[in-house]
Amino acid sequence: MTTMTIAKAINEGLRATLAANPKSLLMGEDIGPLGGVYRVTDGLIGEFGPDRVVDTPLAESGIIGTAIGLALRGYSPVCEIQFDGFVFPGFNQITTQLAKMHARSHGNLTVPVVIRIPYGGGIGSVEHHSESPEALFAHTAGLRIITPSNPHDAYWMIQQAVECQDPVIIFEPKRRYWLKGDVDVQTPGPSEDPFKAHVLREGTDATVVAYGPLVPVALAAANAAAEDGRSVEVIDLRSISPIDFDTVTASVQKTGRLIVAHEAPTFGGIGGEIAARISERAFHSLEAPVIRVGGFHMPYPVAKVEEDYLPDIDRILEALDRALSY
Amino acid sequence: MGTHLPSTEFDGTAVDDQREADAEAVMGEPAAQMVQLLGPDGKLGTDPVFSAYADKLTQEDLRGLYADMAAIRRFDVEATALQRQGQLALWVPLTGQEAAQIGSGRASQPQDYIFPTYREHGVALTRNVDLAELLRQFRGVSNGGWNPKDTNFHLYTLVLAAQTLHAVGYAMGIQRDQKLAAASDAAGRQPDAAVIAYFGDGASSEGDVHESMVFASSYKAPVVFFCQNNHWAISVPTNVQTRVPLSNRAKGYGFPGIRVDGNDVIAVHAVTEWALEHARQGNGPVLIEAFTYRVGAHTTADDPTKYRPSTEEDAWRAKDPLTRLEKYLRGQDLADDDFFAKVKADGDELAAYVRRTAHDLENPDIRQAFANVYAQAHPLVAEELAWFEEYSAGFAGGEESAGQAAKAGH
C-alpha cells in the first residue's frame, strides 16, 4: 500500500499498462516532454519513447480518429483530451464512429480506444475548462464511461479501461488530481469491476449517489448530517455508463430516500436517468421523490461565481432536508 | 485592410511578391499537369515517370481492367433498377467513375488496407467483396455487410471524411508493426503494407480531411489519399469546395499531390501503384486527385437535371473510360468481338446473381443488434433484451397476456 495523488495514480496506471502491453500507446497534445498540462503523463515519453507516447497535432478529431484506425490495426490507444470543453471537435468521431464500429461490423471489429478527459470545475479557470459533458456521451450506445474519485480507483480503472474491448471514456475529476489516498498496486480488491458502484458509507435514513469530484462533498455532507442524528448512505457511482442500478436500488430499498448529486446541469443529466430508473425499480420503497442536486441550466459560469454554481455540502443537506420532510 | 506588420517582423523573410504572384497563378491554374496516358481517342501517350508503370501491364491485365469496369457498370445498372423496384432503400451510382476505382483498386496489394467512402463499389470488386453482400447496407438489413478482415476492405463510411482519419491511424499502426517485427524476428516479417483512404471532392471540405493530412504528414504515415473529384457534391459544384486543383493542397502539407485523368484506367493504375510504393517504402503519404465525373445522380434520391445542364454530362460521356480502353484494346489487337461478347455475358450473369441474392437476403433479427452493441457483457443491454423477450413472448399467448407482459416490464 502506497500513498499518492490521483494524478500520480493515473500516471502509475499508465506506466503499468505501457509496460505490460506493447500494443498500448498514449496520444494527445502536450503529453510528451511536458507530461500533459496536468503532468499526468509525466516521464512516460522518456521511458517508452515517442512511438508509445505520441505528442499529436492540436486536433481532437484527429486524435480520436487516428486512434480508431490504430485500434482497427490491433493497438490499444489511450487518448488525452486536455480539457472537457475541448472534446467537442472530436465529438463526431466519438459518437458516429467509435461508438458504433463494433455494432455496424456485426461484432467483427473491436475498437478498444480509451479517452481520458479531465473534467469539472472548481479550479478557477476560464471558459471551456470546467464543464461536465458526461451525459452527452452516456446517451450514446456503444460507449462506456467511468470516473474515479480516489487514487486507488484511478490507478486500477485506467488499466481496466485499456483492457476493456469496448471504447471507454474516463472522466477524470481535475479538481481532485491532487487528492491523496492509499493505493494498493498489488491487487484491485473490490475495485476489480470498474463498472460497479461502491457503497462508501452505510446509512439508513437516505442515500446520496455521487461520482467523481462530488464524492468527497457527499461524504462530508453525510458526516455533517450525522451530527444532526441522520444516517446517510453514500454511494460512489464510479460508472456512468453502464450504471450499477442494482447497488443503487438495494440502497434505496433500505433507506427509502435518494439524492443524486453531480456537477453537470440537472436538466437532461445523469441524475434524471437515475431518478427515473429508481422510480420504476423501487417506487414502493420511496418515501420521497428522488431529488437531484446539480448545476444550473446555463453555460458553466465565470470562475468568480462558480462557487455559487457548484453543488456543495449545504446544497446536499438542503436536498436531504427536503427528502426527509415528506 | 492592407495593413502591413512592421518590416522588422520579417527580418530575413521579406514579403515575397513573387510568391503572391505564384499563388495568384495557381488560383486560376487549369489541370495543366494532369497525368494522362490513354486519351479519349484510345491512343496511348507517354509520361516520363508513369509510362514505366503502364508498361508493366500485360495484355491479360489490360483485358482484366476492361472486364472489371464493364462488370461494375453492369452491377450499377442492376442496383439502380433494384432501387427503382423498391428492393433497395437507396442506391449510390458510380457510373463514370469506373476507371478511377478499378485502376486504383487493382493497383493495391492484398496486404494493403482500404478505407472506402460509400461509392467505392468498383474498388470493392477489386478486393473480392461479394457484390450481393455489398447491397446489404442499401437493402436495410445491415449497416455493414461484410467482414473487413476477409478482404482488407473496410466498411462504407457515411459520415463524410471520418474514414480518412481511420486510414491514417491504421497506417500509423502499420509503422509500429514494422518496428515491432524488426525488433523481434526479421524472419516473421509481413510484406510492407500501405493504406488507401478514398474520399470525394465534397468531403475535401470537411475538417477531418485536413486533420488526416496533418497527421499523415507529421508521422510520414504510409497512406495514399485518393480523392475522386467527380465534380458534384450532390448539387454543389467543385468550385464551391475549392478554388485550386485539389491535388495542389498536398503541397501545403508537404507531400506529393498528383492530378490524374480519372477516366484513364491505365494512368490511374500507374499513379496509384507509384503512390503505394512510395508509401510502403517509408516516404510518407501521397494525395491523388482523380479528375472524373459522376455521370448519374449522387444517389437515387436526387435529380441532376435540377442542378446541372445535360450538355455537361454529354461532354463527359465523350471521355467514357470504357469506350477509350475498348478503342485501345481493339486498335492494338489485344481483344476481339468474342472477348467483348464474353464480358457482356459475364456481366449479365453477375447482374442475375446479384438480383437473385439480393432478393434472398434475410431480414436480421433485432437480437443481433442487441448482441453487437458492446464487445463485453453490458447490464443495460441485457436488461432491455430480457424485457423485449418477455414482451415478445406475451404475443404468443394472445393480446391479454401481451398486455400483462408489457405491464410487468420494468
Side-chain angles (χ1 to χ4, degrees):
Chain A
M1 197 78 79
T2 53
T3 302
M4 60 180 90
T5 63
I6 286 184
K8 180 65 175 168
I10 300 170
N11 178 273
E12 291 295 338
L14 290 170
R15 180 175 282 107
T17 286
L18 288 167
N21 178 359
K23 293 213 156 184
S24 64
L25 72 160
L26 314 186
M27 304 172 68
E29 161 87 358
D30 297 319
I31 67 167
L34 180 65
V37 293
Y38 287 103
R39 311 293 183 267
V40 170
T41 55
D42 200 27
L44 297 177
I45 194 169
E47 286 174 54
F48 298 97
D51 283 342
R52 304 287 307 284
V53 181
V54 185
D55 249 340
T56 63
L58 203 171
E60 288 78 9
S61 188
I63 293 167
I64 308 294
T66 51
I68 291 169
L70 277 154
L72 290 169
R73 183 72 187 183
Y75 286 80
S76 297
V78 181
C79 306
E80 177 178 299
I81 302 295
Q82 254 177 17
F83 287 94
D84 35 66
F86 300 163
V87 73
F88 296 106
F91 191 78
N92 170 46
Q93 284 288 344
I94 295 172
T95 55
T96 76
Q97 305 298 310
L98 181 62
K100 295 181 168 70
M101 197 67 81
H102 185 73
R104 64 196 302 271
S105 69
H106 299 251
N108 286 315
L109 304 175
T110 52
V111 277
V113 173
V114 175
I115 302 170
R116 297 180 37 239
I117 307 178
Y119 82 123
I123 61 162
S125 196
V126 293
E127 69 174 339
H128 310 305
H129 288 65
S130 303
E131 297 168 16
S132 299
E134 62 272 16
L136 289 163
F137 297 96
H139 197 60
T140 301
L143 304 173
R144 291 173 184 265
I145 299 165
I146 53 180
T147 177
S149 70
N150 61 75
H152 180 79
D153 273 358
Y155 177 77
W156 287 105
M157 284 166 102
I158 184 68
Q159 297 178 69
Q160 291 156 342
V162 176
E163 284 169 15
C164 182
Q165 286 306 294
D166 292 312
V168 179
I169 301 178
I170 300 189
F171 279 99
E172 298 171 359
K174 69 168 91 81
R175 68 165 144 144
R176 306 294 178 204
Y177 268 145
W178 302 279
L179 180 80
K180 281 189 179 173
D182 288 338
V183 177
D184 182 348
V185 297
Q186 300 300 323
T187 169
S191 296
E192 185 139 26
D193 183 350
F195 305 108
K196 198 159 168 39
H198 284 172
V199 178
L200 297 184
R201 188 185 198 285
E202 303 257 354
T204 53
D205 295 338
T207 301
V208 175
V209 169
Y211 54 81
L214 282 196
V215 170
V217 180
L219 283 169
N223 287 335
E227 290 173 14
D228 291 340
R230 286 163 176 172
S231 169
V232 175
E233 185 146 307
V234 176
I235 293 177
D236 179 356
L237 202 60
R238 299 174 79 242
S239 177
I240 293 167
S241 179
I243 289 174
D244 178 4
F245 285 111
D246 290 345
T247 296
V248 181
T249 303
S251 178
V252 170
Q253 282 167 344
K254 185 171 67 169
T255 65
R257 290 177 172 83
L258 177 61
I259 292 143
V260 187
H262 54 58
E263 285 189 24
T266 53
F267 182 82
I270 299 299
E273 179 60 38
I274 294 174
R277 292 264 169 187
I278 293 305
S279 297
E280 290 183 49
R281 281 173 164 243
F283 182 72
H284 294 294
S285 300
L286 284 169
E287 303 287 342
V290 180
I291 297 177
R292 292 168 294 166
V293 178
F296 305 117
H297 189 58
M298 60 174 66
Y300 191 87
V302 293
K304 297 299 184 192
V305 299
E306 67 179 339
E307 279 188 22
D308 291 331
Y309 176 91
L310 288 170
D312 58 7
I313 296 170
D314 289 338
R315 293 249 293 268
I316 293 175
L317 290 174
E318 186 273 340
L320 183 64
D321 285 343
R322 266 196 284 155
L324 287 165
S325 71
Y326 279 88
Chain B
M1 299 294 284
T3 308
H4 287 276
L5 292 168
S7 60
T8 50
E9 296 280 347
F10 292 92
D11 278 352
T13 54
V15 176
D16 185 345
D17 290 342
Q18 185 55 44
R19 211 186 304 157
E20 288 184 5
D22 287 349
E24 266 180 37
V26 164
M27 294 293 276
E29 186 182 325
Q33 296 168 348
M34 184 163 75
V35 177
Q36 184 188 75
L37 294 172
L38 184 63
D41 56 2
K43 299 273 191 329
L44 196 61
T46 59
D47 179 280
V49 175
F50 298 111
S51 284
Y53 288 84
D55 291 345
K56 289 195 287 182
L57 291 170
T58 65
Q59 177 179 337
E60 212 48 48
D61 291 336
L62 290 165
R63 294 200 297 202
L65 291 173
Y66 183 87
D68 281 354
M69 291 197 293
I72 207 64
R73 179 171 290 184
R74 181 68 186 85
F75 167 75
D76 198 46
V77 169
E78 196 66 20
T80 303
L82 283 167
Q83 195 280 331
R84 294 299 184 220
Q85 291 159 9
Q87 298 295 330
L88 304 179
L90 184 78
W91 182 240
V92 188
L94 66 26
T95 293
Q97 299 179 224
E98 296 88 350
Q101 297 195 12
I102 299 297
S104 58
R106 280 286 171 227
S108 67
Q109 297 289 325
Q111 74 273 17
D112 298 329
Y113 197 91
I114 311 289
F115 283 89
T117 172
Y118 44 72
R119 198 189 300 277
E120 270 67 79
H121 323 313
V123 187
L125 173 79
T126 69
R127 302 299 295 192
N128 299 318
V129 173
D130 183 332
L131 295 178
E133 301 290 309
L134 189 139
L135 291 182
R136 283 179 182 276
Q137 184 163 28
F138 300 96
R139 193 164 164 81
V141 301
S142 170
N143 287 324
W146 58 94
N147 184 351
K149 290 176 178 170
D150 293 340
T151 54
N152 278 2
F153 183 76
H154 197 69
L155 302 176
Y156 280 0
T157 301
L158 270 62
V159 175
L160 286 186
Q163 78 283 359
T164 59
L165 281 167
H166 307 166
V168 174
Y170 197 97
M172 290 165 68
I174 289 172
Q175 291 176 311
R176 282 160 179 75
D177 282 352
Q178 289 166 341
K179 287 186 182 177
L180 285 172
S184 57
D185 176 18
R189 277 196 71 173
Q190 302 291 313
D192 285 343
V195 179
I196 308 182
Y198 285 88
F199 61 103
D201 48 306
S204 75
S205 296
E206 290 275 4
D208 277 358
V209 165
H210 167 66
E211 294 189 21
S212 67
M213 291 185 182
V214 171
F215 273 69
S217 182
S218 294
Y219 301 121
K220 289 186 85 173
V223 59
V224 174
F225 295 102
F226 195 96
C227 176
Q228 288 173 87
N229 176 358
N230 72 8
H231 284 76
W232 291 91
I234 306 189
S235 67
V236 179
T238 310
N239 63 15
V240 178
Q241 318 290 344
T242 181
R243 299 299 301 275
V244 300
L246 287 165
S247 56
N248 286 13
R249 291 190 182 176
K251 288 178 195 166
Y253 298 102
F255 53 82
I258 305 167
R259 179 178 264 195
V260 62
D261 181 345
N263 287 16
D264 170 357
V265 71
I266 294 175
V268 171
H269 190 281
V271 165
T272 310
E273 196 172 14
W274 177 88
L276 284 167
E277 282 179 12
H278 179 93
R280 286 193 211 102
Q281 287 164 4
N283 299 314
V286 176
L287 168 62
I288 297 171
E289 178 194 2
F291 200 73
T292 183
Y293 194 77
R294 182 241 299 160
V295 174
H298 166 70
T299 72
T300 44
D302 68 304
D303 175 7
T305 65
K306 295 190 74 150
Y307 55 81
R308 69 189 189 195
S310 61
T311 49
E312 185 181 299
E313 291 169 30
D314 295 342
W316 277 92
R317 282 183 202 281
K319 303 172 188 175
D320 189 282
L322 275 78
T323 310
R324 74 171 77 172
L325 184 56
E326 179 176 350
K327 282 182 188 168
Y328 178 71
L329 291 172
R330 287 186 186 276
Q332 300 293 311
D333 281 334
L334 298 175
D336 55 15
D337 286 345
D338 288 347
F339 168 78
F340 291 104
K342 172 83 166 44
V343 165
K344 185 175 182 313
D346 288 347
D348 290 342
E349 196 177 313
L350 170 70
Y353 162 74
V354 164
R355 168 169 291 265
R356 188 171 64 242
T357 312
H359 278 172
D360 293 344
L361 289 175
E362 287 186 13
N363 289 345
D365 188 316
I366 196 166
R367 289 168 184 81
Q368 285 176 20
F370 278 108
N372 292 329
V373 186
Y374 292 91
Q376 295 179 198
H378 191 284
L380 178 59
V381 174
E383 183 182 321
E384 292 184 350
L385 175 61
W387 178 88
F388 176 78
E389 294 290 15
E390 189 181 345
Y391 174 74
S392 303
F395 287 99
E399 279 183 22
E400 193 181 333
S401 58
Q404 283 166 354
K407 264 188 196 165
H410 47 233

